Amino acid sequence: MTADEPRPGTRFDDVADAAARAFRLLPAAPQDVPYPASTEPRSAAHRVSTDPDTVERDLIKLVLTLVELLRQLMERQALQRVDAGDLTEEQEERLGATLMILHDRMVELCAQYDLSMKDLNLDLGPLGTLLPPAE
């Protein structure tokens, strides 16, 4: 071992010190994570039930949640394209009509399975909800 090489014990001490500094930057427990400011009190997170009697409804709820997320993303993209002037008037009309039909169909599917559009908004804990609040 040369004089330039650190002793094995000190290398471990350096690693331990670096790990301790890194862990001090992370929240220690869920209660240490600040929740977003909200006017409504937070409710318990909704969990998917594994009850065999409700599995079809739960699966439909998950699928409709994903479809609603994609629908809202498409709607935002369409609004950006309209604002940028990328579309003709005819394309804007057709796109608007299509998005309205898709929204109406989502409402119908929710009603068919006794769900509301609010039921599709999954609570992601400290991150908030999956979908933005309804306007």
Side-chain angles (χ1 to χ4, degrees):
M1 186 184 269
T2 65
D4 293 339
E5 287 182 32
R7 291 189 345 230
T10 60
R11 285 191 359 229
F12 291 123
D13 291 340
D14 292 342
V15 170
D17 289 341
R21 284 192 307 270
F23 282 116
R24 272 184 255 136
L25 297 174
L26 298 173
Q31 64 268 16
D32 295 335
V33 178
Y35 286 97
S38 175
T39 57
E40 297 178 12
R42 293 193 48 86
S43 61
H46 296 285
R47 306 233 186 254
V48 175
S49 174
T50 56
D51 182 8
D53 298 333
T54 63
V55 72
E56 180 182 5
R57 183 176 183 270
D58 292 336
L59 182 60
I60 289 295
K61 181 179 176 182
L62 179 61
V63 170
L64 290 178
T65 298
L66 294 173
V67 170
E68 178 62 13
L69 176 64
L70 291 174
R71 187 197 67 77
Q72 288 186 16
L73 291 173
M74 287 177 9
E75 188 174 285
R76 287 190 197 121
Q77 180 69 30
L79 289 174
Q80 288 176 353
R81 289 190 66 194
V82 167
D83 290 343
D86 291 346
L87 303 172
T88 64
E89 258 187 66
E90 180 184 320
Q91 289 172 325
E92 287 178 20
E93 290 295 323
R94 194 170 63 223
L95 187 58
T98 302
L99 289 172
M100 286 180 5
I101 291 169
L102 183 56
H103 181 266
D104 291 343
R105 185 66 179 129
M106 283 294 298
V107 171
E108 288 173 16
L109 286 169
C110 284
Q112 183 178 345
Y113 288 94
D114 196 30
L115 296 167
S116 69
M117 294 298 280
K118 190 175 181 177
D119 292 333
L120 303 182
N121 201 356
L122 300 178
D123 184 358
L124 301 177
L127 299 175
T129 56
L130 177 67
L131 303 172
E135 297 166 1

